Every structure is written in C-alpha cells, then in structure tokens.
Amino acid sequence: MLTLTDQMLTVAKAYCSALGVTLSVASRRAFDESKLLVDLDRGHSSPTLKRSDRALLWFSDNWPDGHDWPADVPRPT
C-alpha cells in the first residue's frame, strides 16, 4: 500500500502527464504554492494529513476528462 505522500505524488504525476504540465504547475493549482509537490518528490518535505486530503480532493474534483484515475490510489468522493 502506498503512503499518503506517495498517493498524492502518484495522482499529481498522472494529472501532469494527462495535461502536459509540470509538478510546479500542478502544485500551484492544487496548493497555490508551486514548490510543494516538487519538494515532496525530492523527499524534502512531508504534507499534513489535512493538506494531503485537500489535495487529493482537489485533484479528484479537477481530474481531466478521458483520463483514468490511478488504480492504486483510492479516489475521494
């Protein structure tokens, strides 16, 4: 099972791939902070549970049409 941080990065990277944007762009959209996902990906930071939950919900609400949500991450409702 993936950690919450790994789940968030898996979803963020799939979102980036689907839209052709960088982690910085996704981070700015989801957190209004361009470095957070980049720092997480580098192992330099750890999000709070509340922030992780909000981010996964944001990605779910803004998921690009026609693209599958990552199968190994439960999608919030």
Side-chain angles (χ1 to χ4, degrees):
M1 177 174 242
L2 296 173
T3 67
L4 193 53
T5 299
D6 290 336
Q7 288 180 25
M8 190 168 38
L9 284 171
T10 297
V11 169
K13 288 177 181 181
Y15 174 89
C16 290
S17 178
L19 295 179
V21 298
T22 65
L23 273 178
S24 292
V25 169
S27 186
R28 188 171 60 250
R29 290 176 183 176
F31 296 103
D32 200 27
E33 185 178 331
S34 64
K35 295 189 326 181
L36 191 124
L37 287 172
V38 174
D39 287 345
L40 285 177
D41 193 40
R42 293 179 179 158
H44 296 295
S45 153
S46 180
T48 63
L49 180 59
K50 183 177 180 178
R51 198 167 211 186
S52 297
D53 286 344
R54 276 195 330 235
L56 287 172
L57 186 58
W58 183 91
F59 281 114
S60 183
D61 289 345
N62 294 278
W63 197 252
D65 292 334
H67 294 275
D68 293 329
W69 182 266
D72 52 348
V73 178
R75 188 169 183 174
T77 55

